[in-house]
């Protein structure tokens, strides 16, 4: 829910989101075969609905060319599984470029999906930004680069987010 939907258009309260949680709904990536929009989601065939298995296997699928691939968390020496590093501007599973990425102020502004874009837009557009209670580690908002947080870049960052919104459905050619 954005700040405007809550009735506080100029105010943002950190919802305490992490990239790992935002990736749960899927990540939009560039298909390695056709360069169209593909998605990386939990593999429905292998998940047993436990929280642990949810992160261990991901399926890449492209509706444009029917390309599919499967990612499985690698095993470590102690037979534990290594989880991916959640950062950007590539997806953490296959290492593919994110579909929602654009150059802004000489850097790359990126988002995993529409929910991630909503969060960025709500934060950047707000005049009052509240951090929330300490939770033990930094949230996505706390880890945003300074150039995104800087109010003097607000118009440029919001313009870039608007351009990414045009690309959400994957129909606009790049």
């Amino acid at each position: 829910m954005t700040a405007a939907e809550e009735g506080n258009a100029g105010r943002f309260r950190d919802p305490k989101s992490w990239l790992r949680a935002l990736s749960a709904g899927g990540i939009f990536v560039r298909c390695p075969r056709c360069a169209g929009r593909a998605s990386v989601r939990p593999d429905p065939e292998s998940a047993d609905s436990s929280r642990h298995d949810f992160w261990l296997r991901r399926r890449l699928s492209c509706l444009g060319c029917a390309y599919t691939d499967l990612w499985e968390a690698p095993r470590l020496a102690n037979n534990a599984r290594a989880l991916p590093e959640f950062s950007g501007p590539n997806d953490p599973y296959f290492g593919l470029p994110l579909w929602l990425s654009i150059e802004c102020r000489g850097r790359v502004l990126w988002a995993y999906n529409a929910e991630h874009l909503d969060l960025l837009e709500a934060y950047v557009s707000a005049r009052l930004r509240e951090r929330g209670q300490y939770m033990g580690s930094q949230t996505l908002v706390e880890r945003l680069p300074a150039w995104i947080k800087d109010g003097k870049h607000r118009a440029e960052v919001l313009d870039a987010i608007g351009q990414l919104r045009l690309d959400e459905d994957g129909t606009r050619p790049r």
Side-chain angles (χ1 to χ4, degrees):
M1 178 178 293
T2 65
E5 291 168 342
E6 293 175 1
N8 299 317
R11 182 180 196 169
F12 176 87
R13 289 186 186 162
D14 188 351
K16 302 172 188 114
S17 298
W18 285 268
L19 280 175
R20 183 181 309 258
L22 287 174
S23 75
I27 299 172
F28 297 137
V29 297
R30 186 170 305 284
C31 176
R33 182 187 289 165
C34 73
R37 189 185 81 165
S39 64
V40 176
R41 299 186 181 277
D43 181 30
E45 295 174 11
S46 64
D48 67 0
S49 74
S50 76
R51 184 176 158 195
H52 185 67
D53 279 352
F54 183 78
W55 302 107
L56 297 180
R57 293 179 71 145
R58 288 291 171 129
R59 180 171 301 279
L60 167 67
S61 57
C62 177
L63 294 176
C65 69
Y67 179 80
T68 62
D69 197 1
L70 186 66
W71 176 89
E72 189 166 347
R75 291 203 181 270
L76 302 173
N78 63 358
N79 210 26
R81 296 285 183 118
L83 293 179
E85 178 65 33
F86 289 86
S87 60
N90 294 324
D91 101 273
Y93 300 99
F94 295 91
L96 296 171
L98 295 174
W99 181 258
L100 297 173
S101 64
I102 190 169
E103 187 174 321
C104 179
R105 299 205 42 79
R107 297 170 179 94
V108 178
L109 178 66
W110 55 271
Y112 282 165
N113 50 37
E115 183 182 2
H116 192 175
L117 271 182
D118 290 344
L119 181 68
L120 291 173
E121 184 175 43
Y123 177 81
V124 172
S125 63
R127 301 280 181 208
L128 175 62
R129 301 168 180 168
E130 298 178 273
R131 288 180 60 159
Q133 301 256 352
Y134 177 74
M135 293 190 54
S137 66
Q138 290 187 328
T139 65
L140 178 144
V141 168
E142 291 172 325
R143 291 177 172 237
L144 285 173
W147 67 271
I148 292 176
K149 293 180 178 185
D150 194 336
K152 68 183 175 186
H153 303 145
R154 180 177 284 123
E156 290 174 88
V157 175
L158 287 174
D159 182 53
I161 290 171
Q163 290 178 46
L164 289 176
R165 288 224 181 266
L166 296 174
D167 287 346
E168 274 183 278
D169 64 1
T171 57
R172 188 174 133 189
R174 294 180 167 212

